Each structure stands twice: as C-alpha cells, then as structure tokens.
Amino acid sequence: MAWKYGSDSSLTASDALVRGIGLFALGLGAAELIAPGRFARMFGLEGKESLLRAYGVREIGSAIGTLSTDPVPALWARAAGDVMDLATVALGTRSDDAEKRRNAWIGVGAAAGFAALDAFAATLMAKRGGERPAPADYSDRSGLPKGVEASRGWYREKREKGPAVASRDARKDRAHSGDADPARTETDAGQAPVPAGVSIG
Amino acid sequence: MKALVWHGKQDIRYETMPDPEIEDGRDAIIKVTSCAICGSDLHLFHNLMPGMKPGDIVGHETMGEVVEVGKNNKALKPGDRIVVPFTIWCGECDQCRRGNYSVCERSNRNAKVAELVFGHATAGLFGYTHLTGGYSGGQAEYLRVPMADTTHIKVPDHFTDEQALFLSDILPTGWQAAVYCDIEPDDTVAIWGAGPVGQMAIRSAVLLGARQVIAIDFLPERLSMAAAAGAVTINPAEESVKDRLNELTHNKGPDKCIDAVGMESHSQILPEHLYDRTKQSLMMETDRPHTLREAMLMVRPGGVLSVPGVYGGVVDKLPFGAAMNKGVTIRTGQTHVNRWTDELIELIDEGVLDPSFVITHTEPLAKGPEMYPTFESRKDNCIKVVLKPGQEAA
C-alpha cells in the first residue's frame, strides 16, 4: 500500500525523514560495530578500530532514540555525534595514501551534511503539532455547575439519604430475586442486572 | 464511508472504507454524530499496543443515531440516539451477570490470541487492536455495533452530544477509578495525570466526598483545569512530588492514589526515564511505569491504588515490596461502562456535572489526521478533541 503524505495522513514528510535517519543510523552503527577494520582502512584510521566500534554503539543508541516517539533529543545528540565523526574522519585527511585522503574528505563532507540534516530534522520535529502557545487558563472549566464546595460529597449524601438511582435499585432487587437476565424495559435498555455485592459508588 | 484508519506508527489516515453491514441479529448500525480521540488512542498512534493491523478503523468514544438494526435486536430501533460504550458486552455470560462487562467472556472474537498475552481473554473493544476482537472503531461516519441490544446507552433527548459523548469511556473511567478508591470524607486523593480521564476522576472524587484532591501533571493548562474543580496542583517540573505530597498529608501520604497516566509516563529522574525509554524501544518492556512506581511508594500504608491508566504488557522495577508491606489495595481494569451509567446520567441530568468542560477542540472528522499529532504533542493547549463526521472541513 502506498504511503501518503499531506492532509489525509497524520504521517508527515518530517516523520518519514526522521524514520529514514533512524534506520540509516541503525545500519551504520551495526556496520561500525561488526566491521570497524573496513571503515579504518577506508578512511586511513588504522589503529582506531576500538574507537570506531564505540561510535557504532553510540550510533545504535541514537538510532533507538530517533525511532522513539520523542526523537528530538536523540536528533540533537546525533548532530553532536556527527561533529565527533567529522573530527575523527578528518584525521585521515593527513594520510600518505591519496585514495584514503580522498575518502577522508568525502567522509568529512558526509559528516557535515549529516550534522546539518540531523539539526534540520530536530528543528522540524520540535515544531510538530504546531507552536506551543502560552498555557491556556482553563480555570473557568470546573464541570461542576453547582460549584465545587456545593458538589463536594453530593453523590455520597444523596446515596446516604435514600435510593440514589431508582433503576439501579430495581436492578439490585432483580439480582437478589435471581432474575439475572430480565427482559429489558425502555429505561433499562443497555443496563444489565447488578448482583448483590457489586460495589456501586 | 469516510473513517480514520491506522496504517502504522504515527500514521492515521482519513480514507474511504466500505460501509458497515449487519452481520448478526443483535447488531445495529449507527450514523456517527460525534466521536472523540482518547488518550489511549495515542498508544495505538505510537504503535505501542500489540495487535494492530494496517487498515484498522480506530476510535472507541462514539455516539450517533441508529439507522439499522438486526432482526433479533428488540432493544433498539432506527432513530434512537445512543452512546456506544467502548466495551462490547453480551449481557448473558457469567462476567456480565456479575456486572464485570469489560471482561465479558463472549464478545472478544479473538479470545485465543488474547489468552496468549493476558492469560485469559477480556471483552471485545471498539477500534483497539486484534487482541480485543479487532472490531472496527467509531472514528468514522458509520459504525457497526455488535451485541447492540446490550452494548448501548440511550441518550435522554435533552442531552447535547457534548454532555452525553463521554458516557462512552472517559467519564465512567474516571468515576470507576474514584469509586474503586472507597473514598471516605477525610480522604486525600492524589491523581497522577490531569488529562481527560484524570479530569473526570478529579470531579468524581469531589462528588464522592474527598476532603482534598491533588492533581499531578507537567502541563499548566491541565493543572488550571484541575484547579477549577478545587484540586491542589503539583507540577513535577517545578517541585518534588514526594515532598509536596508529604507536606499536604502531614507526612502520612495520600490515602488514595489514582494512576491516570498509564504506559507512557515521564519521569523527572533522567536515568529512570532513559532506562524505561531504552527498554521500551528495544521491546524489553512494553510500558513505562514511572507513575505506578511513584504511586506505590507514595500511597499511605493501608491505602488504595486505583489504576485506570492503560497498560499493555510487561513492566519492570516495580516496588511491589512497598505495596505488599504497606498493605496497599490495588484495583484496576478496563471500565465496566454500563455499570455506572445510571448514576452518571443522574449527575448530568440533575445539573451536578457537565462533562463538556473538558472539550478544547471540536473539528470535522476529516481533520482527524491533523488532530492526532496536535493532541499527542499537547500543543495548542489541547486536552480533548471531539470530531464531527457530519461537518465539512474548512
């Protein structure tokens, strides 16, 4: 089924972008963890395999955060991690091997690009759902038309004074009499017998 | 018909779906006039509840007008105006006879799957995973109501949709949470989460006579709504929940605690939050139980912990030793909606309670895909969204 973006779907282009970043990070992290030697040879970073492996763990951690329901902190963490990557890969630009130097410069460019992309995605996601305005004052919405103090214990008092709800007591009577599945009347439709012992209010 | 359809994480679409049809003699079809997005719909939106399939219609807070009934349904007729309880119940099984409608033994048509996850099956629910029957939900223009001769609430003619709609879920859920606390007049009731269910629980605790009600939430707009009903408010971002609760209860702890947050709670303690986030992301636990931990530790010895907040699977690092040694009574469960209908209708009818206070956004159904992220991110001061299938999108 085709994915749709826009007003007919809650999934926006920024959601899809973040999901892509998260999946990419997961793959990159796994690759760094499993095959750090290959990355070291590619970028002229021989001897730094342990560091690359640690970066793989960091990458997987940030991927988990990026794929969570609140990706913004993880995206900012990723942007910071990209800067670390950039600094590390930049060491390879001093390699004696021309191909490794070229790879390192490509890596520097890619890390800078990813840093910008992660920061851009973080900014987009922070705005998801619209800007947060000043908190509304809902202090006029009590939902208790008689007032709070007049309502305090209203139901308890009513119940203590007598049958609170006629139809409920009628249902209890039926339950006591063992008629647990009576033909329902117009007023009782949708209600079932409540047997003795069921706590109500 | 048009409906809001789940396609995956954070992907709810407004799509054309086949019109529902009568499948059983007890069924009814309603034309939906109002429906709402529930906090528990966000668990589906975040893909944290197992058992959803692309193409599922979501929504379980629904009301409308009956347009067709099955041949065996003598309780309803076309033209009746009904609220649809989110729990589907048969009215005939042993649990229904006990009033335990949310664990009806017959309405979950995927009971075998549910038994694998929950040990025993619970009732069928509308629009809420295939573990609970895989029934189409009510964020749609039309809804098939199975077992509709029992699964309905007839609405008094003089009630507006906004007064009646929440009889489907959040109002009885908040009420049940408070009733389960066995509130005494001297009680302090602490409620974590001032979302829609928490707001209803606050009003319920007041009506049941609690001397002091405390609301705990991060969002100032929610706390202002809680304070409107007389609640003392605590914002964990600004003060220590533990210190403030102890101060308000003379170091005894709240007599009754309500967890109206559930599986996606946030902790101010960063290592705890990162721990739960990581485990949840790695599917090593399904739920983040920070609120449950805090409430277990804070509740007064001999007190009650009532849990209306939705949990989906497994949690860990619960201080159950604290709960056991303090003799805490824990009561929980999906809401037995119709058990509470009579008294709630009475409260509304007598002008004691007006549940419409919680609505902050009313939009056409077509704007549903936009309203999910608005509700999710709590932006635009959004607390409760009502959707109207009959309205045109601007």
Side-chain angles (χ1 to χ4, degrees), chain A residues 183-191, chain B residues 74-77 80 152 154:
Chain A
R184 292 180 177 80
T185 64
E186 187 68 16
T187 52
D188 272 327
Q191 314 301 324
Chain B
K74 307 301 180 198
L76 294 173
K77 62 182 185 306
D80 284 344
H152 72 270
K154 279 192 180 170

Side-chain angles (χ1 to χ4, degrees), chain B residues 22 26-30 66 68-70 73 76 143-146 148:
Chain B
I22 296 288
R26 295 179 64 182
D27 286 358
I29 307 286
I30 67 163
V66 175
E68 191 178 354
V69 295
N73 188 335
L76 294 173
L143 173 69
R144 179 178 82 90
V145 183

Side-chain angles (χ1 to χ4, degrees), chain B residues 58-72:
Chain B
V58 291
H60 57 267
E61 296 181 4
T62 307
M63 66 178 295
E65 181 185 328
V66 175
V67 292
E68 191 178 354
V69 295
K71 63 181 188 310
N72 300 328

Side-chain angles (χ1 to χ4, degrees), chain B residues 12-38:
Chain B
I12 299 284
R13 302 178 194 172
Y14 180 64
E15 289 186 332
T16 301
M17 299 292 285
D19 286 348
E21 295 176 353
I22 296 288
E23 296 177 17
D24 181 88
R26 295 179 64 182
D27 286 358
I29 307 286
I30 67 163
K31 181 179 184 184
V32 177
T33 53
S34 296
C35 53
I37 303 176
C38 180

Side-chain angles (χ1 to χ4, degrees), chain B residues 85-166:
Chain B
F86 77 97
T87 47
I88 303 167
W89 57 288
C90 72
E92 295 166 344
C93 72
D94 183 47
Q95 292 286 13
C96 284
R97 285 168 183 266
R98 292 166 187 250
N100 297 331
Y101 309 129
S102 75
V103 288
C104 170
E105 293 172 329
R106 293 175 56 194
S107 59
N108 188 343
R109 57 189 176 184
N110 292 335
K112 294 286 183 211
V113 182
E115 283 167 7
L116 293 174
V117 179
F118 296 142
H120 295 280
T122 54
L125 307 179
F126 289 97
Y128 214 76
T129 88
H130 289 259
L131 292 178
T132 54
Y135 293 99
S136 287
Q139 287 168 10
E141 290 180 318
Y142 292 91
L143 173 69
R144 179 178 82 90
V145 183
M147 300 177 174
D149 52 345
T150 44
T151 305
H152 72 270
I153 297 163
K154 279 192 180 170
V155 181
D157 290 340
H158 57 284
F159 280 21
T160 63
D161 273 22
E162 285 68 25
Q163 286 177 304
L165 175 61
F166 303 131

